[in-house]
Amino acid sequence: MKFSCFPLTMSLLMATAALSAQAQAQTTAAGSSMSFEQARAALLERSEQLAASAKAVDSARLRREGMQGLGGPSVAITGMGYRYSANVDLDLDPARRALGNGISHLPPQLGGAVGQLPSLPANYDLQRKSNVASASLSAVWPIYMGGLGDAVRGELDAMTDEALADAATSADQLNTLLVQRYFTAQLAERAAALRRRALEGVRAHDDAAQRMLKAGVIAQVERLQASAALADAQQQARKADDDARLARSALLRTVHAAGGVRPSSPLFVSSEALPPLQQFLDAAQSHHPGLSKVAAKRRQAESLHDATEALRKPQVLAFGMREVNTSGKPNWVAGVAVRWTLWDSIDRDKLSAAGQRKVEQAELTDAQVRSDIALLVEKNWLAVEQSRTQYLSGQAQEDLARELLRLRTAGLKEGTSTALELIDAQLNLAKVQTERAAAANQYVQALAALLESTGQTDDFTRYMARADIQIKADAP
């Protein structure tokens, strides 16, 4: 029995290797290879979210540039064209009586001469119609506005900084999303490869079990156990392939690629521990875009408070106006105006207090955000270290699974192990290797989250290049 099983086992192992090579070739043809750096470049170039953030920054910057001259002079020209009709009934009796009294006091010679003049009527109906066109040029120059212009410009500067902070946050989040989808796709590819490899081995041993049953070497129950293991392996392989296809689709949509994408940068783990936690805490306090946004919100509150205070102060402006006429001597006026509101219906003390509360709110928010970020950094730092130690500690389990598979393979050749025991050993190795790949993916995801929480997402590729352990999708 031992001698007859050996050639059969060798042929099955050779068939397994051929099927593995064929599956690997099919996987390679499934999509074009793309490194993480290429995927990141494609994301930066094609992301609608980043483009929208850039538009928001441009809008805020242009609004600030448009208000640069706030508080400067303004010149306007006004033109009018109108037609009028005036009807006036003038009572001339008072003038006539006054004229008569005046004539009576004149010398006779003059009085007689004036008396021969026609007498004034009792009233006179005046009617006047005309078309008139006029134009005037006016200028206003605020000389002193109590600092209102600076307050408005300061608020717009802060709004621009807020837009920049939002854009930086969007970029960091997208980078973390890319890490998640890229290396999840890599993990899914490795899991699918391991499941396919296990399926090939189970199928080969199922065929061997069928032949052994016909030869009377094994019992019917062992044959049924092998068939059940094959059915389960087939289902697990199909699920792994579906998961890999879904992960590739998610990556494809993230980088907006035209065709299929197959991640080529492997999962990685660094055997060295991370730098001390305090180093990441200090980096977060300096680089996290959330703190920049809170600072911008505080400056907006301060500028709004300054604007409210500016309305309490007097306003001084120079003005001038001149008629634009084609003939004649035009009219003009120029001067200085001062306006100081002594009282109105708005309670400016309450408005000032409200603005001060906004400033205090921003200060308290800043303290809370700093505390939350520090806690998040510590959480992510610990997650990276836990994933790293979990992967390293899994080496003993993988070594044990490999040794068990070697023993079961040798035992099958010598007749001391059953095909089912060999199948279990193969499936166990695939399970252990998948779990270690999942631990490596957890390490990568935790590292990306840590760098995002410290505002250092651009350093991810540096950590990736320094990692001394790489787990490729098609690695045995």
Side-chain angles (χ1 to χ4, degrees), residues 2 106 159 173 200 246 348 383 421:
K2 296 179 181 179
L106 292 176
M159 292 174 68
Q173 291 174 347
E200 292 157 6
L246 181 60
R348 300 194 181 278
E421 289 175 333

Side-chain angles (χ1 to χ4, degrees), residues 297-318:
K297 286 289 189 182
R298 176 178 177 176
R299 289 168 51 202
Q300 291 178 44
E302 292 172 346
S303 297
L304 182 60
H305 182 263
D306 293 342
T308 302
E309 291 298 309
L311 296 178
R312 294 175 175 266
K313 301 175 182 178
Q315 301 172 3
V316 182
L317 56 89

Side-chain angles (χ1 to χ4, degrees), residues 159-240:
M159 292 174 68
T160 302
D161 290 343
E162 181 183 359
L164 287 169
D166 288 339
T169 300
S170 295
D172 289 349
Q173 291 174 347
L174 274 179
N175 190 79
T176 303
L177 177 64
L178 175 63
V179 170
Q180 175 188 349
R181 293 187 174 178
Y182 185 92
F183 289 100
T184 297
Q186 184 67 277
L187 172 63
E189 291 288 347
R190 176 160 176 76
L194 291 173
R195 286 296 177 182
R196 284 193 298 269
R197 189 177 297 118
L199 174 60
E200 292 157 6
V202 172
R203 182 180 288 113
H205 296 310
D206 179 74
D207 293 340
Q210 177 65 25
R211 297 183 183 183
M212 289 178 180
L213 179 64
K214 291 181 179 180
V217 177
I218 62 174
Q220 179 67 25
V221 66
E222 293 185 47
R223 174 69 187 92
L224 293 176
Q225 289 174 337
S227 298
L230 176 61
D232 182 69
Q234 288 173 335
Q235 191 276 331
Q236 294 295 334
R238 282 193 299 268
K239 182 180 182 301

Side-chain angles (χ1 to χ4, degrees), residues 258-275:
V261 173
R262 185 173 61 85
S264 60
S265 297
L267 288 163
F268 63 90
V269 176
S270 178
S271 60
E272 296 183 2
L274 286 173

